[in-house]
Amino acid sequence: MKVWQCLVCSFIYDEAKGDPEHGIVPGTKWDDVPFDWSCPDCGVAKADFEMVEVN
Amino acid sequence: MEKRPVVIIGSELAGYTVAREFRRLDAETPVVVLSRDHGGFYSKPMLSNAFAQKKTADSLLMKDAEKMAAEVKIEVRANSLVTAIDPKLKQLTVNGEPFPYGKLVLALGADTIKLPLQGDGADAVLSVNDLDDYRRFRTAIDGKKDIVILGAGLIGCEFANDLVGDGYKVQVIDLAPQLLGRLLPPESAAFIQQKLENEGIVFHLGTTTQKIEKAGERLRLALDNGKVILADVVLSAVGLKPRTSLAAAAGIKTNRGVVVNSFLQTNFEDIYALGDCAEVEGRVLPFVMPIMAAAKALALLLTGKPTAVHYPAMPVAVKTPICPTVVCPPESTADGEWKVEASVDGVKAVFHHTNGQLLGFALMGAAISEKAVLTAQMPALS
């Protein structure tokens, strides 16, 4: 499971936790997050994220 | 004749996002981004929470101007200061030279508001509004201890949280009687204040700084309430003022910001504005989410498909890890009242219209888990 960080606002996407509030179940790999998903904090699209660390 | 370029003044999030969105729709028309500084791309919201993450100014710079130009397939001109706009000739003055445009996008940003302070130390007050400011600030606080922040709003609270600990003692001064005055009801403000105080941040509320004088290497602040406090560095974070003078001098209508309609159009046909400089249908919204929404709409307009900007309800995350907070404030004209439910591990505040419609909320701690549910109940702004 990897952890990703939003390029713009520093929101963390943790694959283990997912984003259940927005329909992304825990354990969803970043690759499997749909393209129309955007950062819940600032709204930037999936394409503008960058990986910060691998756990 | 070669097609005149889309020229974007400003290389921060608004400017680059419009360029990127436009390029996705139009691969041909030349695009030029004019930057008055280095033109590199970085995340401005991270400036107020970069210290605890051990990020320096250099590590915050994600892509320099050259890399941005190559990636987005545009031209980026660094150190290019625009001093005049001629809407009739469709021409700018850039570093003293004429520069033609086909369509012009104003992504000018905002200046930090400077309090009218007396004393020979007033000039030493710093503010952080861009990456170069951040670099200066980091250099200034290096090896120092006492930091005073003017302003207990969003940016002031974020900086206070970011700096406390790690050897820094932080004090915050605000004229308002509470933190985050425009965003929170008093009970919520008291909760976050307590959390921040528990970590050692000291607040001086309901008072203002009269005078700042040099005291050797340090600064001495005289407050209205009679207190005198010493600081190594004073950081001002009292708000932003949209940059409008360049536009106003060209006859572009300005009010609080550069006035645009819901299509992001100014009173001139081929001149548009977005981001922190813009007043969209009467609203100045200096946050990331409105910028992303505006950039998408404007990119469509630039390709000849006028599209009104759609603002959904846009909650703002306050980056205070000591007390995680999300706010979706009611508009200042909203008619209704706050209802606050506090528990030991969080505070939920909701603002309802008298007819029952949810118009705003502020969530702290454990209550943040209700963000998505409440956001879904909020009306769109436009």
Side-chain angles (χ1 to χ4, degrees):
Chain A
M1 295 278 107
K2 291 179 183 174
V3 176
W4 302 72
Q5 183 170 36
C6 174
L7 194 83
V8 167
C9 75
S10 74
F11 172 84
I12 296 286
Y13 178 77
D14 183 339
E15 292 183 345
K17 291 181 186 161
D19 179 19
E21 289 176 29
H22 300 94
I24 311 294
V25 297
T28 303
K29 289 218 168 75
W30 182 242
D31 282 351
D32 298 330
V33 171
F35 272 110
D36 62 1
W37 183 87
S38 58
C39 172
D41 276 3
C42 73
V44 300
K46 184 187 174 188
D48 296 328
F49 267 57
E50 72 175 51
M51 188 172 69
V52 286
E53 59 180 277
V54 182
N55 288 339
Chain B
M1 199 176 100
E2 200 189 330
K3 209 169 172 186
R4 281 188 165 209
V6 171
V7 174
I8 300 166
I9 308 177
S11 62
E12 296 238 352
L13 187 68
Y16 273 135
T17 305
V18 173
R20 202 189 284 277
E21 293 290 337
F22 177 72
R23 202 36 108 216
R24 282 180 183 148
L25 304 170
D26 178 333
E28 302 298 323
T29 308
V31 174
V32 182
V33 168
L34 299 173
S35 175
R36 66 176 193 171
D37 57 24
H38 54 86
F41 184 69
Y42 68 97
S43 164
K44 186 168 171 185
M46 278 196 208
L47 296 180
S48 49
N49 66 337
F51 185 78
Q53 296 186 47
K54 313 235 179 288
K55 290 192 170 157
T56 64
D58 286 334
S59 65
L60 280 171
L61 180 69
M62 291 182 289
K63 289 160 191 173
D64 62 20
E66 209 173 313
K67 201 165 172 190
M68 285 304 291
E71 186 182 293
V72 190
K73 299 184 175 65
I74 55 174
E75 186 183 339
V76 180
R77 296 198 175 205
N79 306 310
S80 295
L81 184 68
V82 181
T83 51
I85 301 167
D86 184 336
K88 277 195 185 125
L89 289 177
K90 294 175 82 172
Q91 184 171 285
L92 307 174
T93 305
V94 182
N95 295 342
E97 301 286 328
F99 195 96
Y101 65 83
K103 290 180 170 138
L104 180 64
V105 176
L106 306 176
L108 306 168
D111 287 313
T112 48
I113 293 173
K114 286 190 170 47
L115 294 174
L117 295 166
Q118 295 169 22
D120 62 1
D123 290 344
V125 175
L126 299 176
S127 57
V128 174
N129 195 29
D130 59 35
L131 196 56
D132 290 336
D133 287 344
Y134 183 72
R135 194 184 305 276
R136 275 189 285 278
F137 176 67
R138 282 294 294 270
T139 305
I141 64 171
D142 189 41
K144 298 289 172 40
K145 189 175 163 207
D146 289 304
I147 314 289
V148 168
I149 298 173
L150 309 181
L154 192 97
I155 301 296
C157 286
E158 290 184 353
F159 268 109
N161 190 146
D162 200 35
L163 293 170
V164 75
D166 217 39
Y168 288 108
K169 287 183 68 182
V170 181
Q171 302 186 68
V172 183
I173 302 164
D174 202 303
L175 186 57
Q178 67 165 68
L179 277 62
L180 297 159
R182 286 178 215 166
L183 305 173
L184 296 180
E187 298 93 325
S188 303
F191 183 84
I192 185 171
Q193 182 178 344
Q194 185 67 57
K195 293 274 179 193
L196 295 172
E197 284 175 347
N198 289 349
E199 301 298 317
I201 298 169
V202 174
F203 291 94
H204 305 273
L205 300 175
T207 187
T208 188
T209 311
Q210 267 184 346
K211 199 188 250 185
I212 302 185
E213 287 177 315
K214 287 182 183 155
E217 296 263 297
R218 311 182 80 193
L219 295 166
R220 188 192 300 115
L221 290 81
L223 309 188
D224 252 359
N225 63 7
K227 274 190 195 160
V228 172
I229 52 181
L230 284 170
D232 293 311
V233 174
V234 178
L235 177 71
S236 175
V238 294
L240 292 173
K241 186 179 182 305
R243 292 190 182 122
T244 56
S245 54
L246 178 68
I252 298 166
K253 200 173 160 204
T254 64
N255 182 35
R256 269 194 304 154
V258 178
V259 173
V260 293
N261 62 18
S262 61
F263 296 89
L264 291 323
Q265 181 144 37
T266 67
N267 53 320
F268 287 96
E269 197 181 348
D270 291 317
I271 304 180
Y272 316 92
L274 83 165
D276 294 3
C277 75
E279 181 178 327
V280 184
E281 300 262 272
R283 289 189 186 91
V284 177
L285 297 169
F287 302 106
V288 172
M289 223 183 237
I291 290 175
M292 306 311 278
K296 287 190 172 86
L298 183 49
L300 282 162
L301 175 58
L302 291 169
T303 56
K305 298 186 191 72
T307 308
V309 63
H310 171 66
Y311 287 142
M314 296 177 286
V316 175
V318 183
K319 289 183 278 297
T320 44
I322 291 170
C323 179
T325 299
V326 173
V327 295
C328 196
E331 297 208 63
S332 55
T333 53
D335 186 17
E337 60 182 350
W338 285 104
K339 198 170 122 253
V340 184
E341 291 168 34
S343 67
V344 279
D345 56 358
V347 181
K348 172 186 174 183
V350 287
F351 187 97
H352 283 103
H353 188 270
T354 40
N355 69 11
Q357 169 69 51
L358 181 67
L359 292 177
F361 60 83
L363 307 172
M364 287 172 177
I368 283 185
S369 62
E370 296 189 54
K371 174 187 161 191
V373 171
L374 291 173
T375 304
Q377 294 171 24
M378 289 280 295
L381 274 183
S382 69

